[in-house]
């Protein structure tokens, strides 16, 4: 039978009629509650009581919870309850940390053997319950409207406001870059040392070219033919142009496939260098120039972020604006803008990252405007041109989706309107002859539509997905066929980097930044994120040992590695 609670009014059914002492105690307790007599603790200590509830004396001594009817057991130190409180709190914190560390270690060790939680970890309240009594199910708390708005704000992302009012938005999956920006705002100027790289002095260029560079991406409304001829006068020898194109394909084909060797070396260079009668326009010239610029960036015989690359990039910008990007666009325009996005991402300047994001989105918008997302067979394309348009669209889509995950921003190409078919293995075998091996190939395109698109939808939606849907998505990714074994065993750069990016593709799509410890209801996801982050960092370290000069120049590799490191830090901080 439960005892009478002095804080509630007495009920006649609780008071036995035959007990006079109980009635007297109840009356006294009621008087203390009403402040008519001194509280029980002040009476025990024989000190003055101001008869408030709780009284001032009990509040000062740290026993306000006992006032007015409770008392402290007599003994040494009973007059100074708070004397050892701070010491006891420190000891309690140490014991709690030790307990959590042991439980987390047990969870990690047990996760390698079973997906089920360890019996000792099924409840943190197990010590307070009888061994045989079942744990009552917890009722799901009903969220208020304010709580839902607060949770929604947390899932939408972060708004970074820099000096001068410049604003950048980072969605829920773009937290790692916002951490870098936040730290750079409070550190010494050495943090921005990449923005102090040697800058090309373009005073050697004619004023009309400089004006076109500054007008990018808008048209300057100037005579095209004379400026085009002026730009061409600054081209390198044809042998150097071909060497830079080959360097570009050799060192970056594992990452994306935007242009083929036949397109650049077989058609563009002969046309621009007047070795053939193939017609070309400003956007074709811009495409060739930006390929030269990126080729110079990844030319391992040159310094990183060298001036030669900046020279070609400026010429590419000037050539692109000589023809309207919006009203006179073609697939060549899309490719040129896409490659300019890549150049900005690899240029070594942190301030250029925003340009990289903006240009890739622009490329996606132009692509949908001219129908690149529709299968080219609808427009009667055939053979190699049909294959190359399909390959390029899926590379553009993959780049857009990865950019969305990195920045936490919505993709420029919406999945509901994609109607472009994935190239077949037979087409790849036929039309990739003589070309550098594709990085992901047909398998990568299938992974984009099967895994990457659902991950982007689940991660970047304004309403967070349920945990059950997250587990279903994780299961779907794990069941997706792993990359086929690479038959190439050479250590040439394309094959080596191809094996590198394929080795942890699934881990990249499952890496997250969890706020929950291992023993939360989301412990399985935390374990998955932990193991995936370890794979990414281990593969990155191994590939850096093999190709240090090239890996050091590809910023996307380090973006993923940094995100994995942040995930590991957040998980281990819970231990």
């Amino acid at each position: 039978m439960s005892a009478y609670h002095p804080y509630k009014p007495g009920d006649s059914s609780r008071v036995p009629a035959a007990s006079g002492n109980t009635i007297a105690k109840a009356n006294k307790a009621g008087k203390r509650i009403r402040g008519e007599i001194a509280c029980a603790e002040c009476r025990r200590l024989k000190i003055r009581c101001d008869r408030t509830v709780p009284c001032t004396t009990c509040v000062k001594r740290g026993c306000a919870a006992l006032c007015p009817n409770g008392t402290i057991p007599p003994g040494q130190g009973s007059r100074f309850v708070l004397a050892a409180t701070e010491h006891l709190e420190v000891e309690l914190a140490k014991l709690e940390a030790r307990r959590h560390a042991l439980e987390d270690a047990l969870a990690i060790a047990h996760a390698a053997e079973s997906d089920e939680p360890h019996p000792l970890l099924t409840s943190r309240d197990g010590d307070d319950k009888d061994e045989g009594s079942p744990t009552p199910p917890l009722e799901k708390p009903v969220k208020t409207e304010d709580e839902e708005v607060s949770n929604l704000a947390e899932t939408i992302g972060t708004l970074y406001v820099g000096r001068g009012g410049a604003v950048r938005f980072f969605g829920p999956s773009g937290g790692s870059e916002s951490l870098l920006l936040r730290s750079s705002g409070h550190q010494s100027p050495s943090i921005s040392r990449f923005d102090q790289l040697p800058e090309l002095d373009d005073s050697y260029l004619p004023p009309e070219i400089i004006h076109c560079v500054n007008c990018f991406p808008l048209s300057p409304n100037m005579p095209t033919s004379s400026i085009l001829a002026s730009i061409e006068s600054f081209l390198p020898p044809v042998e150097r142009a071909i060497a830079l194109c080959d360097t570009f394909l050799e060192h970056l084909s594992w990452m994306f496939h935007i242009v083929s060797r036949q397109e650049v070396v077989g058609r563009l260079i002969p046309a621009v260098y007047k070795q053939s009668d193939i017609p070309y326009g400003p956007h074709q010239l811009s495409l060739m120039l930006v390929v030269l610029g990126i080729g110079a960036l990844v030319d391992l015989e040159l310094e990183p972020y060298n001036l030669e690359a900046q020279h070609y990039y400026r010429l590419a910008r000037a050539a692109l604006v000589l023809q309207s990007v919006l009203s006179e666009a073609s697939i060549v325009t899309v490719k040129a803008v896409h490659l300019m996005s890549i150049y900005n991402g690899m240029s070594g300047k942190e301030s250029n990252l925003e340009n990289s994001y903006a240009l890739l989105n622009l490329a996606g918008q132009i692509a949908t405007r001219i129908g690149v997302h529709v299968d080219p067979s609808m427009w009667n394309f055939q053979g190699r041109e049909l294959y190359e348009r399909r390959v390029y669209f899926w590379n553009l889509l993959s780049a857009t989706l990865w950019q969305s995950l990195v920045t936490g921003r919505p993709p420029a190409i919406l999945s509901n309107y994609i109607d472009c078919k994935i190239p077949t293995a037979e087409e790849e075998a036929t039309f990739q002859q003589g070309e550098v091996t594709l990085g992901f190939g047909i398998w990568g395109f299938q992974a984009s539509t099967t895994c990457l698109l659902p991950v982007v939808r689940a991660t970047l939606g304004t309403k967070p997905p349920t945990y059950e849907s997250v587990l279903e998505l994780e299961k779907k990714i794990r069941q997706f066929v792993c990359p086929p074994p690479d038959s190439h065993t050479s250590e040439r750069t394309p094959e080596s980097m191809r094996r590198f990016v394929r080795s942890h593709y699934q881990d990249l799509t499952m890496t997250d930044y969890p706020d929950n410890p291992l023993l939360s209801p989301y412990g399985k996801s935390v374990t998955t994120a932990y193991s995936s982050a370890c794979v990414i960092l281990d593969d990155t370290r191994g590939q850096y040992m093999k190709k240090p000069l090239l890996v050091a120049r590809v910023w996307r590799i380090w973006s993923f590695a940094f995100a994995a490191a942040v995930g590991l830090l957040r998980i281990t901080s819970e231990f």
Side-chain angles (χ1 to χ4, degrees), residues 77-118:
S78 61
R79 289 178 176 269
F80 305 98
V81 179
L82 300 179
T85 300
E86 184 176 353
H87 169 73
L88 293 176
E89 288 178 349
V90 172
E91 290 299 318
L92 179 61
K94 290 181 180 179
L95 292 175
E96 284 288 325
R98 178 65 174 170
R99 181 169 73 94
H100 288 312
L102 292 173
E103 290 174 342
D104 293 341
L106 178 59
I108 294 174
H110 185 69
E113 302 177 359
S114 173
D115 291 336
E116 298 296 327
H118 193 280

Side-chain angles (χ1 to χ4, degrees), residues 53-65:
V53 181
C55 71
T56 306
T57 305
C58 289
V59 171
K60 289 181 179 179
R61 296 180 61 250
C63 57

Side-chain angles (χ1 to χ4, degrees), residues 438-461:
L438 292 179
F440 292 112
I442 305 303
W443 177 88
F445 304 151
Q446 294 170 344
S448 293
T449 185
T450 304
C451 302
L452 199 54
L453 274 171
V455 168
V456 171
R457 282 196 294 264
T459 305
L460 303 182

Side-chain angles (χ1 to χ4, degrees), residues 241-552:
I242 295 174
L244 287 175
C245 289
D246 287 337
T247 300
F248 166 85
L249 295 170
E250 179 82 5
H251 288 169
L252 290 179
S253 62
W254 56 270
M255 185 177 175
F256 49 75
H257 186 81
I258 299 177
V259 293
S260 63
R261 192 176 193 277
Q262 180 170 337
E263 180 178 3
V264 180
V265 179
R267 294 196 294 268
L268 279 181
I269 289 181
V272 172
Y273 282 87
K274 308 300 186 291
Q275 296 177 347
S276 70
D277 296 331
I278 301 176
Y280 70 96
H283 288 182
Q284 283 81 3
L285 177 60
S286 177
L287 177 61
M288 188 199 76
L289 285 167
V290 72
V291 169
L292 299 185
I294 301 177
L297 279 181
V298 294
D299 186 346
L300 305 184
E301 295 182 359
L302 299 177
E303 294 182 356
Y305 323 118
N306 52 79
L307 298 181
E308 184 178 0
Q310 297 182 35
H311 167 75
Y312 298 136
Y313 178 68
R314 278 171 169 74
L315 295 180
R317 284 171 53 128
L320 190 71
V321 301
L322 295 178
Q323 180 179 330
S324 175
V325 174
L326 300 179
S327 61
E328 300 179 63
S330 66
I331 192 169
V332 173
T333 312
V334 180
K335 291 181 177 182
V337 176
H338 188 175
L339 286 172
M340 286 182 177
S341 166
I342 294 171
Y343 176 91
N344 277 269
M346 299 180 61
S347 65
K349 297 185 67 175
E350 181 184 301
S351 57
N352 280 353
L353 286 178
E354 277 301 291
N355 295 334
S356 177
Y357 306 149
L359 288 170
L360 184 55
N361 279 333
L362 177 60
Q365 294 292 335
I366 299 174
T368 54
R369 178 181 174 275
I370 65 175
V372 178
H373 61 295
V374 179
D375 193 76
S377 61
M378 296 290 295
W379 324 123
N380 296 323
F381 286 98
Q382 297 178 352
R384 174 178 287 274
E385 192 168 7
L386 173 73
Y387 168 75
E388 288 187 349
R389 287 178 72 97
R390 286 175 174 171
V391 167
Y392 174 65
F393 169 76
W394 285 101
N395 276 274
L396 175 63
L397 177 64
S398 177
T400 302
L401 295 176
W402 280 116
Q403 173 192 274
S404 296
L405 285 178
V406 170
T407 63
R409 299 166 182 166
I413 302 176
L414 300 179
S415 59
N416 295 342
Y417 305 100
I418 296 174
D419 189 40
C420 186
K421 296 179 181 178
I422 295 176
T424 64
E426 292 75 15
E427 289 175 330
E428 182 179 22
T430 302
F431 298 111
Q432 278 300 125
Q433 292 184 5
E435 299 287 345
V436 180
T437 306
L438 292 179
F440 292 112
I442 305 303
W443 177 88
F445 304 151
Q446 294 170 344
S448 293
T449 185
T450 304
C451 302
L452 199 54
L453 274 171
V455 168
V456 171
R457 282 196 294 264
T459 305
L460 303 182
T462 54
K463 293 184 177 180
T466 63
Y467 188 54
E468 289 75 14
S469 63
V470 172
L471 291 179
E472 285 295 324
L473 181 56
E474 179 186 342
K475 181 180 179 181
K476 186 177 183 180
I477 295 173
R478 289 190 180 279
Q479 290 178 344
F480 184 73
V481 180
C482 292
D486 201 334
S487 58
H488 300 278
T489 57
S490 70
E491 282 303 313
R492 278 191 58 201
T493 298
E495 284 76 21
S496 176
M497 299 301 292
R498 173 190 174 104
R499 288 194 296 273
F500 164 64
V501 295
R502 284 188 170 193
S503 64
H504 57 266
Y505 187 92
Q506 289 182 338
D507 297 287
L508 286 174
T509 56
M510 291 191 293
T511 303
D512 197 0
Y513 320 115
D515 291 324
N516 305 289
L518 286 173
L519 298 180
S520 71
Y522 312 106
K524 183 177 179 181
S525 295
V526 178
T527 305
T528 299
Y530 181 88
S531 60
S532 296
C534 289
V535 170
I536 294 170
L537 292 176
D538 186 59
D539 284 354
T540 302
R541 179 181 180 276
Q543 191 63 21
Y544 178 78
M545 300 299 291
K546 295 178 182 178
K547 304 286 182 180
L549 296 180
L550 178 59
V551 171

